[in-house]
């Protein structure tokens, strides 16, 4: 079981607040000890559905380039960003407070701005009629030279990394290693890159102010790259009262990977998709989420290895 550590921080008014820090398992994609990777990943998926992935094939130099390009976008004047406002296909810019992830506990939308980049499907392609498929919107090259190339390259590389992670997930579920590689699954997936920028506001859960409100991701898996600023928290038991939130500290060069609701359901709730949120601590913070789902043609039904007479499909 992953260990937990905690440390205390003074809140300044004499109270002592406990800061819990999660100690997640770390999967090394370059390791030749596949059995060990499978076992670490399985333990993490049964426990909380969050783990780190290192040596995932994306160099730190390239990662830095993607973060630099992301910063260049968010630094543009609001009027320029608003020209690229997200469309009905969920492509483009999402302004501050645009998204409200946890309406029961938030007084405003999230204190973040974002930018969605999906799978590029030309308008005249019949596939473009499907939800989430269509052309992306891009800043012009005179404003942000090289931006589109960087983002398209990252989109491809992140998908390769996601496929590698999915192979270990398949083994952890006692499926064939290439189970998720089928054309209707991660062969032609719905994959969305989302650049995120938290502006340096201080969150205050007691009054409902959050960088990102509590939510679980919807899809199969999410690969999250973050800068070095602490902010992401997970809650392993959403029904606990009071809820216990643990920070997931960034590790340089690692992805934080989490399972989405679709995989929880697909695995008959054996694997977990866990509630998480982002607290702002006054520092600006950048993160890059990559959401992966199978294609529209994939039939999601209880996996054969996740059901039995005693444990029928839920
Ligand atoms: C998300 C998310 C966390 C972060 O975009 O779904 O949980 O650190 N992001 O930005
Ligand atoms: Ni999320």
């Amino acid at each position: 079981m992953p260990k937990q550590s905690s440390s205390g921080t003074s809140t300044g008014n004499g109270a002592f607040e406990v800061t819990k820090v999660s100690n997640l398992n770390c999967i090394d994609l370059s390791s030749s000890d596949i059995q060990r990777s499978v076992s670490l990943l399985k333990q993490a998926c049964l426990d909380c559905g969050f783990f780190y992935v290192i040596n995932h094939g994306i160099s730190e130099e390239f990662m830095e380039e993607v973060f630099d390009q992301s910063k260049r976008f968010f630094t543009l004047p609001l009027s320029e960003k608003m020209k690229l406002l997200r469309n009905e296909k969920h492509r483009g810019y999402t302004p501050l407070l645009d998204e409200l992830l946890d309406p029961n506990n938030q007084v405003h939308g999230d204190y973040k701005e974002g930018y969605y980049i999906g799978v590029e499907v030309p308008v005249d392609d019949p596939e473009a009629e499907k939800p989430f498929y269509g052309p992306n919107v891009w800043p012009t090259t005179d404003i942000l030279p090289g931006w589109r190339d960087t983002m398209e390259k990252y989109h491809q590389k992140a998908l390769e990394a996601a496929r590698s992670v999915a192979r270990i997930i398949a083994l952890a579920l006692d499926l064939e290693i290439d189970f998720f590689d089928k054309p209707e699954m991660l062969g032609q997936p719905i994959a969305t890159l989302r650049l995120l920028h938290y502006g340096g506001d201080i969150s205050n859960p007691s009054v409902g102010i959050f960088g990102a409100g509590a939510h679980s991701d919807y899809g199969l898996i999410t690969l999250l790259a973050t800068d070095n600023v602490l902010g992401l928290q997970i809650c392993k038991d959403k029904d606990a009262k009071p809820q216990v939130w643990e920070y997931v500290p960034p590790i340089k060069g690692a992805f934080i990977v989490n399972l989405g609701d679709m995989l929880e359901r697909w695995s008959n709730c054996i694997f977990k998709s866990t509630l998480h949120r982002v607290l702002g601590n006054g520092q600006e913070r950048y993160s890059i989420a990559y959401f992966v789902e199978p294609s529209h043609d994939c039939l999601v039904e209880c996996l054969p290895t996740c059901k039995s007479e005693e444990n029928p499909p839920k």
Side-chain angles (χ1 to χ4, degrees), residues 50 101 212-213 215-218 222 224 232 258 274 276-277 289 291:
F50 267 82
L101 282 166
H215 67 283
S216 54
D217 294 354
Y218 317 124
T222 305
L224 182 76
L232 178 68
N258 65 290
T274 284
H276 53 284
R277 67 184 189 187
F291 303 104

Side-chain angles (χ1 to χ4, degrees), residues 3 50 64 105 186-187 234 238 282 297 308:
K3 293 185 296 291
F50 267 82
E64 214 163 284
N105 291 301
L186 299 188
I234 62 172
K238 63 178 188 312
D297 300 324
S308 63

Side-chain angles (χ1 to χ4, degrees), residues 147-295:
W147 204 83
R148 175 175 178 167
D149 289 346
T150 301
M151 295 307 161
E152 289 191 323
K153 184 171 159 195
Y154 184 73
H155 208 293
Q156 277 177 9
K157 284 184 167 287
L159 181 55
E160 278 313 311
R163 287 180 176 137
S164 302
V165 173
R167 289 184 193 116
I168 304 179
I169 293 177
L171 294 175
L173 287 166
D174 295 318
L175 300 162
E176 294 293 322
I177 188 165
D178 56 357
F179 180 86
F180 294 108
D181 286 319
K182 299 189 186 84
E184 76 278 19
M185 294 189 190
L186 299 188
Q188 294 290 329
I190 302 171
T192 305
L193 173 55
R194 191 174 193 202
L195 309 173
L196 293 164
H197 173 226
Y198 300 85
D201 304 275
I202 300 181
S203 295
N204 187 344
S206 63
V207 296
I209 307 248
F210 295 92
H215 67 283
S216 54
D217 294 354
Y218 317 124
L220 188 74
I221 53 172
T222 305
L223 308 187
L224 182 76
T226 77
D227 65 11
N228 209 22
V229 179
L230 199 63
L232 178 68
Q233 295 186 320
I234 62 172
C235 169
K236 290 183 182 173
D237 179 5
K238 63 178 188 312
D239 300 318
K241 286 199 171 65
Q243 287 182 331
V244 178
W245 290 90
E246 304 172 15
Y247 276 103
V248 176
I251 295 183
K252 201 163 169 46
F255 278 128
I256 297 164
V257 178
N258 65 290
L259 312 185
D261 300 339
M262 181 190 282
L263 187 52
E264 178 175 290
R265 216 163 150 156
W266 211 345
S267 69
N268 214 11
C269 303
I270 291 173
F271 279 6
K272 304 281 186 310
S273 123
T274 284
L275 216 51
H276 53 284
R277 67 184 189 187
V278 175
L279 294 194
N281 66 4
Q283 276 172 288
E284 241 181 309
R285 179 174 181 273
Y286 290 87
S287 67
I288 301 173
Y290 189 73
F291 303 104
V292 184
E293 296 170 29
S295 84

Side-chain angles (χ1 to χ4, degrees), residues 90-144:
H90 301 277
R91 306 303 170 92
Y93 177 60
T94 59
L96 197 70
L97 308 183
D98 186 66
E99 191 172 29
L100 180 61
L101 282 166
D102 182 15
N104 294 334
N105 291 301
Q106 283 179 279
V107 284
H108 304 294
D110 292 349
Y111 280 79
K112 66 172 199 275
E113 51 181 346
Y115 197 94
Y116 280 117
I117 300 162
V119 178
E120 184 75 37
V121 181
V123 235
D124 54 4
D125 187 323
E127 290 281 295
E129 284 170 23
K130 295 178 177 170
F132 305 109
Y133 280 177
N136 282 304
V137 299
W138 299 107
T140 53
T141 47
D142 55 320
I143 295 180
L144 292 178

Side-chain angles (χ1 to χ4, degrees), residues 47-60:
D47 178 52
C48 65
F50 267 82
F51 49 91
Y52 297 104
V53 167
I54 55 169
N55 294 318
H56 42 62
I58 303 181
S59 71
E60 285 190 30

Side-chain angles (χ1 to χ4, degrees), residues 4-10 16-21 230 247:
Q4 273 173 11
S5 58
S6 43
S7 61
T9 42
S10 170
F16 195 74
E17 217 171 64
V18 172
T19 310
K20 264 180 156 322
V21 176
L230 199 63
Y247 276 103

